[in-house]
Amino acid sequence: MEIKEEGTSEEGQHFLPAAQANDPEDIQFTSIQKSPNEPQLEFILACKDLVAPVSDRKLNTVVQVSVIHPVEQTLTRYSSTEIVEGTKDPLFLTGVTFPSDYPIYEETRIKLTVYDVKDKPHDTRSFLGCASFKVGELLKSKEQLLSLSLRTSDGGKVVGTIEVSLVKMGEIEDGDTDHITTDVQGQKCALVYDSTAPESLSGKENLPFMNAVLRNPVCKLYRFPTSDNKWMRIREQMSESILSFHIPKELISLHIKEDLCRNQELKELGDLSPHWDNLRNNVLSHCDQMVTMYQDILTELSKETGSSFKSSSSKGEKTLEFVPINLHLQRMQVHSPHLKDALYDVITVGAPAAHFQGFKNGGLRKLLHRFETERRNTGYQFIYYSPENTAKAKEVLSSINQLQPLVATHADLLLTSASQHSPDSLRSSLKLLSEKTELFVHAFKDQLVRSALLALYTARPGGILKKPPSPKVSTEEKSSQRDSPQQLRRQDSIPHHSDYDEEEWDRVWASVGKSLNCIIAKVDKLIERDSRNEESAGGDSSKDGDADPNLEDSLTSHPREDWYEQLHPLILTLKECMGEVVNRAKQSLTFVLLQELAYSLPQCLMLTLRRDIVFSQALAGLVCGFIIKLHTSLHDPGFLQQLHTVGLIVQYEGLLSTYSDEIGMLEDMAVGISDLRKVAFKITEATSNDVLPVLTGRREHYVVEVKLPATVFESLPLQIKEGQLLHVYPVLFNVGINEQQTLAERFGDVSLQESINQENFELVQEYYSIFMEKMPPDYISHFQEQNDLKGLLDNLHQNIQAKKRKNVEIMWLAATICRKLNGIRFTCCKSAKDRTSMSVTLEQCSILRDEHQLHKDFFIRALDCMRSRQTQGALSESDDPETGCLSDNKPTSRHFYPVALLLVSSHLLVVWLILSLALLLAKYQ
């Protein structure tokens, strides 16, 4: 039922325009004093002695909170409490919180309207009474508590009292405690309102720096009783991240750069036979179209200036397909009377999947397997290289592009040291040059380079031989080999040519090492001769007539050698040899990449596009999670040691069904998360106000540079400050929980889910083994005392092997293991809404019960509070980002959606489906 008193045209959490709140012509308002990045105002509510309209009726009470701005005098519905049933003295567990950027002042008036809810499903409610107060009155009140009389709409009759108590999480509250007895659905519990001084939260002082990546926080406040009848307070915060758009734009830019470079290398491949030249031209044509499409998508993404996240209604838009769906941070901050304050973070995001591409033919897992099988088992006019060899070719090409300029730079530095005639500087420069050159030479040891050179030779219009033809191929045979199209061959075959000199590559490749050896020998000789000259000069000053005539002649012939002139020819030789090696290796390995593209060209590029899309969505979430985990754990030495010694485990909880299109989504998601193993992080010191992460690399290896302020960076371990790469270990566990999964388990196939869970359990075991092996013994002994990880792993393995229907124990065990290993937690479903919200709220209440002594009688009520949409106000359709599109000045989306049971029997499911259909038909009629 619409509530006319509240002004239905202004429903929801509306932030007033900044111009209205800060117009210099307006009255100057008093801002609320608060800590940085903390909510401006938080309070909790309770009613006493409510008078029911009918004497024998038990009240079901809810409080609607509205804001009256001091200038416009307009009333904006802000939020509401949960519904407390069957008592005239309701104690509300859901509080009211105003985030740091909400325009509220001491002069702002808050209106509290109490209703009696007669019919919860239809939201039929009757007005009981209302009261209002100014924010300044609450802040300046004694004991920061207001007791207000609730009056009827005409302002006459008093129908009860409402108490408003100011909340300051993390601060000591002095004064008397309130003993309040609640009677909720027959539950009686004497609750003591008390608080103790909490310890400061780890990383709290770093929260301002996190504002660079988080946006539009939406907060909720709760108070729940503990098992010993004390209050604990919970602040739930949900934030968007600008990384939702920043990371995809960075990644697409790298793809464009990489593809343009590859296209140029294909053009520089040289002359090819007509067959291969036609293939190359065809590949270049398609690749140019792909680059143009990426550039168009990047242009469109750059125009997005509205919300910081992509809503689920936009998941099918082509221009936004690289952007993750509903990427949010869901944070629960717990302040309990006896335990240390704690933060629990979950990153919620829609499953990484190519929704615009569709799932008619399955997802990446199936498509890649089918593509590779067809390449391996069917003959085509190309040379087959395995995916491992193709990836190796890209890796070697990347190493060449990185190492060649480094070697050239160190060679120039060696010449600079030689010109300065400094032995110490010369030794240091030579050491660096030797290290980089050895890496350069080592990059070409792989047999792949040899086979690629041979394959390229056969693709030339004519063999260019560096030695006389070895026996005994007639001119006619050679002519037929050059002119006739290549015969269909098995894909794992490598061409052979009797005229090809296989030893020539060894000579060219070894010449680099020989050139380096010559430089080393020359430097040693120059330094030795210089030291001998200094010794002889010192001997002349101590002995008058005993000088050796031969030594005098030597000194006369080499008064002071010019080291630069001695080394310069050798450096030129080294660079020439390197240039020859690079030229041959680049061309041969580029020819390997041509084979991958030449087979089933459109399909290959579409698979590349699909994989790029899925990886982009997964990477945006990973970077967001890593930065948040880093900032909240900066003062934990054990975490920092684990970070650079072992790396971080990243656990994804999937809630997708194995039915219909969601099978394809799960296949996409599995590949996208697996591809995150190619990502490493590096922490650097921020030198400007631009603290957004920087992405570098190529499709087979990416490095994310995370910037920290100087004061924080200096406190990091030396290994991290020196730029050591920090690795992540992504794992995925999926359990379908909706009605479609019921159909899949009864009539379909769940083998995909079973295989994914088994594969990723083995990855968790591998990480655990590395963790136990590499972490220090004293840390391990303390860790084992606190945690039984071995037992949890065994339990997880048993549940995976049990193949039980809708076994949500797998999700709980995997999440617990991740938290105990200091990992990063993700929860995903199709759109990161209904199923995700159910899972996150269940996990949060379970943590409160298991870790913070939540009263067992209040578990269900706490769960209902967290899942209630009413506590955020009755948002209209235009106010809900999940039903609209991207636009400015909109409140962020929430995970508080109508409650659905996680586990239902098949009979209840059928009834639920029938009722849902009937309600939908009635609604639209």
Side-chain angles (χ1 to χ4, degrees), residues 3 6 60-62 64 113-117 125-128:
I3 304 170
E6 295 297 330
N60 300 325
T61 316
V62 64
Q64 180 73 54
T113 309
V114 182
Y115 294 96
D116 175 24
V117 180
R125 56 177 70 179
S126 62
F127 175 81
L128 289 180

Side-chain angles (χ1 to χ4, degrees), residues 140-354:
K140 298 171 185 177
S141 62
K142 184 180 180 180
E143 300 176 1
Q144 297 185 324
L145 172 68
L146 291 178
S147 182
L148 307 173
S149 296
L150 289 169
R151 297 183 180 275
T152 55
S153 56
D154 57 5
K157 184 180 178 181
V158 176
V159 294
T161 304
I162 185 166
E163 291 184 345
V164 185
S165 302
L166 188 68
V167 173
K168 293 184 178 180
M169 288 191 69
E171 294 185 8
I172 300 177
E173 292 193 12
D174 299 324
D176 299 333
T177 58
D178 295 327
H179 296 264
I180 305 174
T181 301
T182 65
D183 183 2
V184 183
Q185 296 180 357
Q187 301 173 2
K188 295 184 180 295
C189 180
L191 304 176
V192 182
Y193 183 76
D194 191 11
S195 65
T196 59
E199 298 181 27
S200 62
L201 289 173
S202 175
K204 190 172 182 179
E205 61 271 25
N206 297 310
L207 289 178
F209 203 70
M210 289 180 63
N211 286 345
V213 297
L214 296 178
R215 289 285 187 275
N216 299 332
V218 175
C219 298
K220 290 180 69 176
L221 178 70
Y222 310 99
R223 56 172 175 176
F224 297 141
T226 61
S227 56
D228 58 352
N229 296 332
K230 299 285 187 180
W231 282 118
M232 64 174 164
R233 303 180 200 154
I234 294 91
R235 181 189 294 154
E236 197 179 26
Q237 176 182 319
M238 186 180 192
S239 302
E240 305 168 12
S241 174
I242 61 172
L243 299 181
S244 292
F245 285 84
H246 174 74
I247 294 299
K249 288 190 285 188
E250 288 267 307
L251 190 62
I252 293 172
S253 298
L254 287 180
H255 289 334
I256 293 172
K257 181 179 178 181
E258 179 183 351
D259 291 348
L260 287 174
C261 181
R262 179 199 59 201
N263 292 355
Q264 184 61 34
E265 289 170 350
L266 286 173
K267 294 174 183 177
E268 295 174 355
L269 199 53
D271 294 335
L272 298 175
S273 64
H275 166 71
W276 291 109
D277 194 49
N278 290 335
L279 279 177
R280 173 173 59 179
N281 292 334
N282 193 23
V283 166
L284 285 172
S285 174
H286 282 82
C287 289
D288 287 340
Q289 295 176 15
M290 181 76 76
V291 170
T292 302
M293 182 180 65
Y294 277 40
Q295 290 171 336
D296 292 342
I297 292 175
L298 182 60
T299 301
E300 292 300 318
L301 283 181
S302 301
K303 297 177 182 178
E304 294 290 343
T305 57
S307 179
S308 302
F309 75 102
K310 182 177 81 172
S311 67
S312 60
S313 60
S314 303
K315 62 176 171 282
E317 293 186 18
K318 179 175 177 57
T319 56
L320 298 176
E321 56 185 344
F322 282 82
V323 181
I325 302 168
N326 273 338
L327 175 61
H328 289 87
L329 163 66
Q330 184 80 21
R331 166 168 289 177
M332 181 175 70
Q333 177 182 342
V334 183
H335 171 60
S336 54
H338 303 300
L339 302 176
K340 184 179 179 181
D341 282 13
L343 285 179
Y344 299 94
D345 290 339
V346 178
I347 307 298
T348 57
V349 64

Side-chain angles (χ1 to χ4, degrees), residues 6 35 201 225 231 245 276 328 383 393 415 441 490 573 610 818 820 845 855:
E6 295 297 330
S35 302
L201 289 173
W231 282 118
F245 285 84
W276 291 109
H328 289 87
I383 304 168
L415 290 178
V441 173
R490 296 295 300 173
T573 302
R610 189 182 191 101
C818 174
K820 290 185 179 297
C845 287
H855 198 290

